[in-house]
Amino acid sequence: GEDVEQSLFLSVREGDSSVINCTYTDSSSTYLYWYKQEPGAGLQLLTYIFSNMDMKQDQRLTVLLNKKDKHLSLRIADTQTGDSAIYFCAEKLSTLTFGKGTMLLVSP
Amino acid sequence: EAGVAQSPRYKIIEKRQSVAFWCNPISGHATLYWYQQILGQGPKLLIQFQNNGVVDDSQLPKDRFSAERLKGVDSTLKIQPAKLEDSAVYLCASSGPGRGYEQYFGPGTRLTVT
């Protein structure tokens, strides 16, 4: 397909792990990004991964990249209610192309 | 370090009116972007500046949208005349010399066209 695709919704309980998945379009993408958007706010850069890496860990966040399948995932460990937001993946070719976002709802 | 600033935060206009948005990027960031985010969608790039030159404006509806970045710092995005389908959040972002080409976003301007 020609779009960056993400599942639309994920619901988890506080303390569980969350895994948000993304399929991107172009195997020549150089960087892949995860952004977080809270209601009424702009996008906050969470993390990014260079295309020659398989995994990147940053505190509670783990990014996994499968270049063969053009699949990117974001795992949030020990999910908190403050993690409730919309999460966007984006791929960089000449410009950034974003998915439609995954709404993460964390219940107490 | 101050983030990307945008104003106004909200704007309501009638169709066929004009509107302008302002953006001040992070100090030292040479690249500035304007995105349109329609409800339920991811941001879509409208225009990219490198200093005060346009790098990519292929998705800017040039019959009604214009943007400038005088002196390579602040930028304005204008819509004239506005249509109902222009209702969206307009996001400004900037990027600097980071090796990951990370873009940092402002809070956005929510435009409602009635």
Side-chain angles (χ1 to χ4, degrees), chain A residues 30-31 33 35 37 40-45 48 50 88 92 94-101, chain B residues 9-10 35 37 40-43 45 48 56 91 99-108 110:
Chain A
T30 54
Y31 290 89
Y33 305 83
Y35 283 86
Q37 187 174 37
L43 275 70
Q44 174 194 354
L45 177 64
Y48 67 91
F50 187 47
F88 292 94
K92 176 174 170 52
S94 56
T95 59
L96 282 191
T97 300
F98 288 84
K100 292 185 177 180
Chain B
R9 290 297 313 278
Y10 305 92
Y35 288 87
Q37 186 179 22
Q41 305 284 323
L45 180 70
Q48 175 183 345
D56 186 342
L91 295 163
R99 64 187 296 269
Y101 303 95
E102 309 96 284
Q103 294 185 23
Y104 296 91
F105 284 77
R110 181 176 297 277

Side-chain angles (χ1 to χ4, degrees), chain B:
Chain B
E1 179 182 77
V4 177
Q6 290 188 248
S7 68
R9 290 297 313 278
Y10 305 92
K11 190 75 177 177
I12 301 174
I13 62 172
E14 295 182 350
K15 60 183 179 183
R16 292 188 289 274
Q17 286 187 324
S18 305
V19 65
F21 313 126
W22 174 82
C23 173
N24 186 24
I26 293 172
S27 177
H29 280 192
T31 311
L32 184 147
Y33 313 80
W34 283 102
Y35 288 87
Q36 180 192 58
Q37 186 179 22
I38 292 172
L39 187 65
Q41 305 284 323
K44 183 186 84 170
L45 180 70
L46 292 174
I47 189 167
Q48 175 183 345
F49 292 94
Q50 179 77 17
N51 296 309
N52 60 353
V54 175
V55 173
D56 186 342
D57 63 357
S58 57
Q59 298 197 74
L60 187 73
K62 298 181 187 63
D63 58 333
R64 298 184 300 106
F65 287 64
S66 64
E68 61 182 10
R69 190 183 184 197
L70 300 177
K71 301 180 182 178
V73 181
D74 294 7
S75 177
T76 56
L77 176 70
K78 297 179 181 178
I79 307 175
Q80 180 179 10
K83 292 185 175 181
L84 295 177
E85 59 260 37
D86 298 332
S87 293
V89 175
Y90 291 85
L91 295 163
C92 179
S94 68
S95 64
R99 64 187 296 269
Y101 303 95
E102 309 96 284
Q103 294 185 23
Y104 296 91
F105 284 77
T109 297
R110 181 176 297 277
L111 173 67
T112 302
V113 182
T114 62

Side-chain angles (χ1 to χ4, degrees), chain A residues 13-77:
Chain A
R13 289 196 175 275
E14 194 172 24
D16 289 349
S17 293
S18 306
V19 179
I20 302 172
N21 295 301
C22 170
T23 302
Y24 60 98
T25 65
D26 196 317
S27 56
S28 59
S29 296
T30 54
Y31 290 89
L32 297 130
Y33 305 83
W34 284 104
Y35 283 86
K36 176 184 179 182
Q37 187 174 37
E38 296 181 86
L43 275 70
Q44 174 194 354
L45 177 64
L46 291 176
T47 186
Y48 67 91
I49 188 167
F50 187 47
S51 58
N52 69 352
M53 298 170 64
D54 297 325
M55 185 183 84
K56 181 178 180 180
Q57 189 156 359
D58 184 359
Q59 299 182 348
R60 292 190 298 122
L61 305 179
T62 302
V63 178
L64 295 178
L65 175 60
N66 180 332
K67 285 191 69 176
K68 174 178 172 290
D69 295 336
K70 291 184 281 188
H71 184 265
L72 182 74
S73 67
L74 174 69
R75 178 177 180 270
I76 306 173

